[in-house]
Amino acid sequence: MSPFLLTRTLPEDATDAALRVDVLKGLTSSPKTLPPKWFYDARGSELFEQITELPEYYPTRAEREILVGRASEIAAVTGARTLVELGSGSSEKTRYVIDALTGLHTYVPVDVSESALTQAGQALVEERPGLDVHALIADFTGGLTLPDTPGPRLVAFLGGTIGNLLPAERAAFLATVRALLAPGDALLLGTDLVKDEKVLVQAYDDAAGVTAAFNKNVLAVINRELGADFDPGDFDHVARWDPRTEWIEMRLRSRVAQTVKVPALDLVVEFAAGEEMRTEVSAKFRRDGVRAELSTAGLELAHWWTDSEERFALSLSVAR
């Protein structure tokens, strides 16, 4: 069996420390905010998997359609011997690309979740004899050092997750990715596209209320990890399209005037009735905008593929 290696580049207590910093900063800001990465404990990940199956939530299906239809073309264009996936999770969608890359030597999944990396990585080495899997427990937004693997490399960042980064954060992230690439390497990037407002809002505010539960789960995480006394029932889920910035904002709106205590931070937080706290930004993109952001980072857009309804795009760019 091919080797499965797991390397930790985050300290054991890094997640707890980052949560404390983010919650303290976010709850003392005006307006209040929380980063979307804290949705994804075990319960949050389960809820998100449910979201991807909802009729309103098109991005997962649209991206899968592109991957199924274009994986062989992606493989032919890149000839990658190393595939690096940022925020790999279950590695499910990436398998279409892995299967198509006949000369693939090493797969490098990168995620903050050790359990997700171990489960997906061990399954891959059992299913695909000859494939080396070198998993990295790392926060790819904070800089990244890749293992020494054969080129050319293909770095994949799928799911439209780049839309969760604010513009300055996106610029820093793309510059970091560019620094990982050598001549002949490429970036495969998933981006959700600007479309009808009703379609967008419904994707983040489904009729079954699964996204609402997912949004409120961040409060359960803070309660469990930091001893806070949030009552999720005192907050309403809000999804709003901002046409100026061309992004969806998910928020939690306080139903009543209330006081929340966060003992681990020695923090007392006041919420006014109707006050909203932003929990996620999900930017939507246009082709020219993606090209411009890639270009600023030193990447040249080489290929652009969309699903049949032009809801979602995969782009392939190369280092300049």
Side-chain angles (χ1 to χ4, degrees):
M1 183 184 298
S2 300
F4 170 65
L5 299 175
L6 183 68
T7 301
R8 175 181 289 277
T9 65
L10 284 176
E12 290 282 354
D13 61 351
T15 300
D16 179 63
L19 176 64
R20 288 170 176 263
V21 168
D22 287 346
V23 172
L24 180 61
K25 180 181 178 182
L27 294 184
T28 56
S29 296
S30 183
K32 297 179 178 69
T33 62
L34 289 171
K37 65 183 177 182
W38 301 117
F39 291 138
Y40 296 95
D41 65 348
R43 174 60 177 157
S45 297
E46 177 185 307
L47 286 167
F48 184 71
E49 287 303 312
Q50 293 178 32
I51 288 170
T52 64
E53 301 299 324
L54 293 169
E56 298 97 329
Y57 194 78
Y58 60 84
T60 303
R61 290 188 298 276
E63 185 177 49
R64 185 180 291 116
E65 178 192 322
I66 304 168
L67 286 167
V68 169
R70 300 292 185 173
S72 59
E73 188 175 348
I74 293 166
V77 169
T78 63
R81 299 198 66 215
T82 295
L83 172 63
V84 180
E85 184 178 9
L86 306 179
S88 55
S90 66
S91 303
E92 179 187 355
K93 288 181 296 186
T94 326
R95 293 179 186 223
Y96 299 113
V97 180
I98 291 172
D99 287 343
L101 287 166
T102 55
L104 187 65
H105 179 278
T106 306
Y107 173 53
V108 184
V110 182
D111 206 288
V112 295
S113 171
E114 181 174 354
S115 59
L117 286 169
T118 300
Q119 184 175 353
Q122 290 180 342
L124 273 169
V125 296
E126 290 174 6
E127 295 167 14
R128 292 162 174 79
L131 178 66
D132 290 352
V133 178
H134 190 154
L136 297 181
I137 304 171
D139 180 354
F140 58 79
T141 63
L144 188 64
T145 301
L146 295 177
D148 186 18
T149 58
R153 284 174 169 169
L154 173 61
V155 176
F157 191 39
L158 304 177
T161 308
I162 194 168
N164 295 146
L165 303 177
L166 296 172
E169 295 169 335
R170 290 202 303 268
F173 166 76
L174 289 172
T176 298
V177 171
R178 170 61 186 88
L180 298 173
L181 303 180
D185 294 346
L187 168 65
L188 182 67
L189 180 66
T191 48
D192 197 7
L193 302 178
V194 174
K195 59 186 67 64
D196 180 74
E197 178 178 347
K198 182 179 179 182
V199 173
L200 286 165
V201 172
Q202 286 179 341
Y204 292 84
D205 193 10
D206 60 277
V210 183
T211 310
F214 176 68
N215 194 6
K216 292 183 183 184
N217 188 63
V218 72
L219 304 180
V221 171
I222 296 171
N223 285 351
R224 183 183 66 245
E225 301 297 330
L226 301 179
D229 60 357
F230 279 103
D231 181 349
D234 284 340
F235 290 85
D236 288 323
H237 167 67
V238 177
R240 182 178 298 128
W241 171 246
D242 185 334
R244 181 182 60 85
T245 54
E246 295 192 323
W247 64 43
I248 285 280
E249 286 195 9
M250 288 209 318
R251 299 175 174 225
L252 290 171
R253 179 191 295 141
S254 181
R255 291 181 171 182
V256 295
Q258 57 180 304
T259 301
V260 176
K261 299 180 180 65
V262 190
L265 301 177
D266 194 23
L267 182 65
V268 177
V269 185
E270 301 291 339
F271 284 87
E275 182 179 354
E276 294 182 353
M277 173 170 60
R278 189 176 73 191
T279 52
E280 182 177 85
V281 162
S282 185
K284 309 305 168 188
F285 296 89
R286 302 176 189 270
R287 181 172 182 167
D288 287 347
V290 173
R291 184 192 302 276
E293 292 194 35
L294 290 168
S295 180
T296 299
L299 295 161
E300 183 177 351
L301 179 64
H303 297 272
W304 177 268
W305 302 287
T306 68
D307 65 295
S308 56
E309 296 182 44
E310 298 189 342
R311 299 165 296 178
F312 197 94
L314 281 182
S315 60
L316 191 75
S317 55
V318 295
R320 278 210 311 263

